Amino acid sequence: MYFDLCLISFVSTGEGATQNLSRALDLYETAASPPHTSPPALNGLGYLYFHGVKKVGASGVLEDEYILRPNYTRAFGYFDQAGKLDGGGRGDALYNAGFMLDKGYVPELGGRQEAIGYYNKAAIECGHFDAVATLGIYYAQVLHLALF
């Protein structure tokens, strides 16, 4: 499965393979659908929709034109769905969902308080390093501790 997800990433971005977004989305959606439902595949879909995908020009350089525009609500949905599953990649998805809430990408779904819930799950249940570090910084700020 890991090899398949790497291949999908290459096909979606045009790195090391011919860019074919519709094929990449089909492959990700297959990997994210029952019976295969995989947190890394859902997280990958979330990543594509968070960042969007720019067209790769003939010379291999990214152009300014998007072939898939960012869609933050859809990205959050994929991250959230992946965070509810068991398996590898779950911590990344929980952290990504928390990050989106924390940074205001989906304000209609919550803010810092909700983000802390996602960061806590990623840190405690998955041992996600960035989630642990983010929580440490937040708690130090609340307690007015000098970090550096």
Side-chain angles (χ1 to χ4, degrees):
M1 178 65 107
Y2 178 76
F3 172 77
D4 294 339
L5 293 174
C6 288
L7 176 63
I8 297 169
S9 177
F10 294 145
V11 171
S12 68
T13 62
E15 295 178 41
T18 302
Q19 187 178 42
N20 184 337
L21 183 62
S22 62
R23 178 72 177 136
L25 287 172
D26 286 345
L27 292 169
Y28 263 136
E29 288 172 6
T30 298
S33 300
H36 313 288
T37 308
S38 140
L42 289 165
N43 195 52
L45 281 166
Y47 183 89
L48 287 180
Y49 281 101
F50 180 78
H51 292 284
V53 178
K54 290 190 173 185
K55 183 178 180 180
V56 176
S59 63
V61 176
L62 288 178
E63 297 181 359
D64 288 335
E65 179 184 346
Y66 279 99
I67 56 175
L68 177 71
R69 294 203 169 279
N71 181 326
Y72 298 138
T73 302
R74 198 157 182 191
F76 180 85
Y78 284 121
F79 293 144
D80 184 54
Q81 186 180 353
K84 293 175 182 171
L85 299 173
D86 290 330
R90 180 173 175 255
D92 288 337
L94 288 165
Y95 177 82
N96 291 338
F99 177 86
M100 291 189 72
L101 291 167
D102 192 25
K103 302 303 179 190
Y105 286 102
V106 283
E108 67 279 8
L109 299 176
R112 173 147 303 166
Q113 206 54 43
E114 291 77 13
I116 288 173
Y118 281 93
Y119 291 147
N120 271 325
K121 280 186 176 185
I124 294 168
E125 296 175 16
C126 305
H128 193 275
F129 179 82
D130 290 336
V132 171
T134 300
L135 288 168
I137 291 168
Y138 289 161
Y139 292 132
Q141 290 171 346
V142 168
L143 298 172
H144 305 290
L145 299 174
L147 294 177
F148 304 100

